[in-house]
Amino acid sequence: IRGLHYDLETGFFLINKVISPDLQINVLRRQLDEMARRCREIIVSPSSERERCKVINRILFHEFGFRGDREDYENPLNSCMDAVLRRRRGLPITLSVMYILVAQRIGLDLEPIGLPGHFMVACFHGEAPFYIDPFDGGRFHELGGIRELLEAQNISPELYHVVPVPVGEVLCRACRNLVAHFESRGQADWANRFRVFVQEFERTHQRESQA
């Protein structure tokens, strides 16, 4: 955390290894590689960013059957990439990260978007940005639609709601989720372990912002 050399994929795997020290990271990478391979088999060139995202949706949510875990949302396993890949369900943030990592493997750069209480993916290439909700089966949203979603929750839309979240903040948010979800299950030791990480992210961010 203090080194500031944040990488989305490695960071999520390291969070996962805190819970599962024997985790075989290469196995997870091969699973992501396989989903990307299936996408490449279907993509027809040339294709737009939106068309490639439609292929990703087809592979992830129809062929592999990933979905948002609405029934057991606060299960800490939903924050662990190995469990998400195994159980085919997860939180908005873990599904979004998985989506971004698969997209990277097919040469498509997508961005993490941290809405209040939710997480999405965005594409800023092409004529206009568009947003994807992996928790909702890859549903597409335009910028105006994001504004409407926020206003429906009585949230005044701000620019920071719809622009990319730095990788460090994505990782910190994942740790915050684990704090809350372990606490909800009465697992204080685990909650405190991830609380230390959150505090370190926050101290590091504060130190860098003052530098």
Side-chain angles (χ1 to χ4, degrees):
I1 294 172
R2 295 171 186 168
L4 295 171
H5 299 299
Y6 302 134
D7 175 77
L8 190 62
E9 182 167 328
T10 302
F12 260 77
F13 292 160
L14 289 176
I15 289 172
N16 203 158
K17 279 183 75 71
V18 174
I19 298 172
S20 304
D22 296 330
L23 180 72
Q24 298 296 311
I25 289 178
N26 287 339
V27 173
L28 303 188
R29 288 201 165 114
R30 284 197 294 270
Q31 290 176 275
L32 295 169
D33 291 344
E34 173 60 18
M35 290 186 284
R37 184 190 66 78
R38 286 290 297 128
C39 291
R40 285 193 294 270
E41 287 179 348
I42 297 174
I43 291 173
V44 177
S45 296
S47 59
S48 68
E49 290 81 5
R50 189 181 293 260
E51 289 168 338
R52 281 183 280 172
C53 287
K54 288 179 179 178
V55 170
I56 296 174
N57 284 357
R58 172 179 168 179
I59 297 304
L60 295 188
F61 307 120
H62 297 282
E63 183 169 319
F64 281 85
F66 286 96
R67 62 180 179 85
D69 191 349
R70 302 179 188 275
E71 297 82 11
D72 195 14
Y73 189 90
E74 294 190 348
N75 189 332
L77 290 175
N78 286 326
S79 292
C80 299
M81 192 59 72
D82 68 327
V84 171
L85 291 172
R86 182 178 69 253
R87 299 163 72 238
R88 307 291 171 92
R89 58 184 185 270
L91 296 178
I93 189 169
T94 42
L95 292 173
S96 292
V97 169
M98 180 188 70
Y99 199 107
I100 289 170
L101 298 181
V102 171
Q104 287 176 350
R105 283 164 163 76
I106 64 170
L108 178 59
D109 290 326
L110 302 179
E111 301 288 351
I113 302 295
L115 298 173
H118 199 52
F119 216 90
M120 288 191 187
V121 173
C123 179
F124 292 99
H125 303 284
E127 295 182 0
F130 61 89
Y131 298 78
I132 305 159
D133 187 352
F135 192 76
D136 193 20
R139 182 178 179 184
F140 284 83
H141 295 272
E142 308 306 322
L143 183 59
I146 299 296
R147 186 180 301 112
E148 292 173 1
L149 287 175
L150 293 171
E151 290 173 344
Q153 302 174 61
N154 296 316
I155 298 171
S156 297
E158 301 288 349
L159 179 61
Y160 67 84
H161 290 147
V162 294
V163 297
V165 177
V167 171
E169 177 54 33
V170 178
L171 299 175
C172 183
R173 187 160 170 169
C175 290
R176 288 193 192 101
N177 286 339
L178 282 163
V179 171
H181 296 166
F182 277 123
E183 282 187 336
S184 73
R185 291 179 173 245
Q187 296 176 272
D189 289 346
W190 279 108
N192 289 334
R193 184 173 300 187
F194 283 97
R195 185 176 287 109
V196 169
F197 297 155
V198 171
Q199 292 168 347
E200 196 61 50
F201 271 116
E202 291 174 344
R203 281 194 292 265
T204 300
H205 175 75
Q206 183 177 19
R207 185 175 65 249
E208 288 302 308
S209 65
Q210 294 173 350

